Amino acid sequence: MFYLCSTYKLLVMASVKILLRKKINKDGQFPLCIQIIKNRKTSIIHVGQSINVQDWDETRQKVRKTHPNHNQLNNFLIKKLTEANSKYLELSTEMGLVSARRIRSELKSEKVSSFFAQANIYLDELKKSGKYNRYSADKPRINRFREFLKGEDIFFSEISISLINKFKAYLKGTREISDRTVINHLVVIRSIFSQAIKAELVDSKYYPFGKGKIQIKFPESSKISLNIDEVIKLENLVLDNYPNLDHARNLWLLSFYFAGMRISDLLRLRWSDFYNDRLHYSMGKNAKAGSIKVPDKAKSILDKYRSLINSGESIYIFHHLNGLKKPNDKFELQQKIANAVKAIDESLQKLASGMGIIKKLTMHVARHTFGNLSGNKIPIQMLQKLYRHSSITTTIGYQANFINQDTDVALESVLKY
């Protein structure tokens, strides 16, 4: 009869065994742990796997066949026990007597091999690097993959092409998610998989993406923009009694006047960024620096805010980033910006409804609008420079009206008979 692995008796009265901890987690399951006992002192290490209590054989210290992944889990547990034994022998050889706590500390620093354990590391690194937008978007995508797996963890070797196709079908069918959003979910899985391969946690032969496998290609999406009449209407709108709507309108127009400046850069502007009638700033997205002339229309809006300066209140022109607890914390900064953009976009949508505009009006539409209205007025290379795009291919996507002009003329010429 097969026994997973009873207690390892290590040198100098140390033992290691697998334990099902009788402390239920948020998923309603019980975590599997490694228990280390040395000189009557016990340390517990969670291995990143949880099961139902009825799926655990306490006597044999193994997962019962009632669990759908019992073979993989038992192999995983054997590996963990072997690692614990090897680590103890290694430390004992180098240092002599070793405590249970030291063994635990060394083992906890070892690499993990399950998907969701690596996903936690992935999210933690996003947080540490201050990438709030990616963190807040990718975390629910990871949770949807967990939901698809009915709360179970999974090994990278089990993430097959067939499984990913089933996940795609689940997202489109059960969750009714768009094709582009489905691709965003797959990008996260690919990123975590690549991270695991780089960390040598999984063999690259299991990688399910690439040529002849799962292809990740974003579907084309149409970019919404205002036409020139709508921009003029927005400029002339009287909003004296609606300060929030007026402020949202001002920010949208400033973004448009500054060649489609991103809202994240707009909210970070300081008065010190303006001198010699030019705006000098570095883009937050790619750190590209440059300057741009301040148009007269932008000056008149900025003058309204200059008259409201309260010395010492904030280093920023606009109030949204006031009260940052840690000004150098990129994660908190991005979170603050994301919350501000949400409120601003809600105000812009109210404006659109009041103006009879059926398009979805957001801050990013100002960037699209500048690109589309540039049309054949400026060369595509100049628009690339204004946008500070690294690739001209990206710029082409913003100049949709210019791209369509030749095809529209061709169509009309054929239909004139």
Side-chain angles (χ1 to χ4, degrees):
M1 182 180 292
F2 166 73
Y3 286 81
L4 171 66
C5 204
S6 189
T7 306
Y8 269 107
K9 294 294 181 182
L10 303 178
L11 300 175
V12 199
M13 298 299 291
S15 67
V16 179
K17 73 174 186 178
I18 296 295
L19 177 75
L20 185 72
R21 202 164 190 197
K22 301 299 175 61
K23 185 178 180 181
I24 196 166
N25 61 23
K26 63 180 182 180
D27 297 320
Q29 296 185 320
F30 296 85
L32 289 163
C33 308
I34 294 177
Q35 181 189 68
I36 304 171
I37 302 176
K38 175 78 187 297
N39 296 334
R40 298 182 181 181
K41 294 184 178 180
T42 302
S43 284
I44 299 293
I45 304 171
H46 290 264
V47 297
Q49 302 292 326
S50 299
I51 61 174
N52 295 322
V53 68
Q54 63 267 25
D55 291 328
W56 180 245
D57 188 328
E58 185 69 37
T59 303
R60 294 176 173 80
Q61 292 179 37
K62 61 180 291 188
V63 180
R64 297 181 189 273
K65 292 182 179 180
T66 52
H67 192 284
N69 295 323
H70 63 279
N71 283 331
Q72 294 95 326
L73 276 175
N74 284 329
N75 289 334
F76 173 73
L77 295 175
I78 290 173
K79 181 182 177 183
K80 288 298 179 184
L81 282 171
T82 303
E83 287 174 357
N85 185 44
S86 298
K87 179 59 65 177
Y88 176 75
L89 293 174
E90 177 189 328
L91 292 173
S92 295
T93 300
E94 293 177 358
M95 306 172 60
L97 295 178
V98 182
S99 68
R101 179 176 293 181
R102 179 57 189 273
I103 301 170
R104 175 180 180 273
S105 175
E106 291 289 331
L107 285 171
K108 284 193 73 176
S109 68
E110 293 292 311
K111 298 168 183 174
V112 295
S113 58
S114 69
F115 178 82
F116 290 110
Q118 188 65 26
N120 288 335
I121 294 173
Y122 168 80
L123 289 173
D124 189 53
E125 288 182 357
L126 287 180
K127 196 168 187 178
K128 287 178 180 177
S129 58
K131 297 177 179 177
Y132 171 80
N133 292 330
R134 281 186 60 189
Y135 176 89
S136 60
D138 288 354
K139 187 174 181 179
R141 291 166 186 160
I142 291 169
N143 287 337
R144 288 191 189 102
F145 189 45
R146 190 195 301 272
E147 178 187 275
F148 164 71
L149 296 170
K150 296 181 170 53
E152 299 286 342
D153 203 345
I154 191 170
F155 298 109
F156 285 98
S157 58
E158 298 177 279
I159 303 177
S160 62
I161 295 173
S162 174
L163 182 76
I164 292 178
N165 283 330
K166 289 178 182 177
F167 180 50
K168 288 169 63 178
Y170 166 80
L171 291 174
K172 293 182 69 173
T174 306
R175 300 286 303 196
E176 297 182 349
I177 288 174
S178 69
D179 288 342
R180 186 175 184 84
T181 306
V182 168
I183 294 297
N184 286 331
H185 283 72
L186 301 191
V187 168
V188 178
I189 295 175
R190 184 181 65 177
S191 297
I192 296 169
F193 216 116
S194 298
Q195 189 182 65
I197 291 173
K198 187 176 181 180
E200 299 181 351
L201 298 176
V202 61
D203 194 305
S204 59
K205 69 181 181 181
Y206 294 113
Y207 191 63
F209 302 98
K211 187 176 181 180
K213 299 179 181 180
I214 297 293
Q215 297 281 343
I216 290 184
K217 184 178 180 181
F218 284 97
E220 292 186 7
S221 59
S222 59
K223 289 179 170 58
I224 299 170
S225 75
L226 299 190
N227 58 44
I228 191 63
D229 291 334
E230 290 168 333
V231 173
I232 293 172
K233 189 174 181 181
L234 189 63
E235 288 176 328
N236 295 331
L237 207 59
V238 178
L239 296 168
D240 295 340
N241 297 323
Y242 304 95
N244 290 338
L245 299 184
D246 184 44
H247 177 62
R249 185 262 304 271
N250 291 340
L251 290 175
W252 194 97
L253 290 174
L254 284 173
S255 171
F256 174 70
Y257 297 151
F258 287 126
M261 186 181 196
R262 288 186 175 89
I263 180 61
S264 55
D265 294 321
L266 191 62
L267 295 182
R268 284 198 294 263
L269 287 182
R270 311 178 185 196
W271 290 115
S272 57
D273 295 325
F274 294 87
Y275 53 92
N276 296 331
D277 290 326
R278 299 187 69 82
L279 166 59
H280 303 257
Y281 78 101
S282 295
M283 283 179 58
K285 189 170 184 178
N286 57 18
K288 285 194 173 184
S291 72
I292 188 172
K293 179 183 177 181
V294 181
D296 290 338
K297 289 184 176 183
K299 284 181 184 178
S300 63
I301 292 177
L302 289 170
D303 286 344
K304 296 178 183 178
Y305 291 88
R306 195 182 295 276
S307 65
L308 298 174
I309 292 178
N310 184 354
S311 59
E313 181 181 352
S314 175
I315 60 175
Y316 301 104
I317 294 176
F318 308 109
H319 68 275
H320 301 280
L321 301 185
N322 290 347
L324 282 171
K325 296 177 182 178
K326 300 177 181 177
N328 296 323
D329 188 330
K330 291 182 179 178
F331 189 84
E332 184 191 0
L333 177 65
Q334 280 199 8
Q335 185 175 24
K336 223 19 175 174
I337 290 172
N339 292 336
V341 172
K342 183 180 179 181
I344 294 165
D345 282 348
E346 287 175 356
S347 293
L348 289 172
Q349 198 53 50
K350 290 180 182 177
L351 275 177
S353 298
M355 294 168 61
I357 296 175
I358 60 174
K359 303 169 185 175
K360 184 177 181 180
L361 185 60
T362 67
M363 280 301 305
H364 203 63
V365 168
R367 189 168 176 82
H368 294 170
T369 300
F370 184 85
N372 282 338
L373 293 184
S374 67
N376 58 357
K377 295 179 181 178
I378 60 175
I380 190 71
Q381 293 82 1
M382 182 55 66
L383 182 61
Q384 179 189 7
K385 188 175 181 180
L386 287 169
Y387 271 165
R388 302 186 194 177
H389 282 155
S390 300
S391 170
I392 199 166
T393 304
T394 307
T395 312
I396 290 172
Y398 283 86
Q399 217 175 26
N401 287 352
F402 177 56
I403 295 170
N404 294 333
Q405 186 180 33
D406 291 341
T407 57
D408 291 346
V409 171
L411 178 63
E412 287 296 322
S413 67
V414 173
L415 297 180
K416 285 181 179 178
Y417 55 83

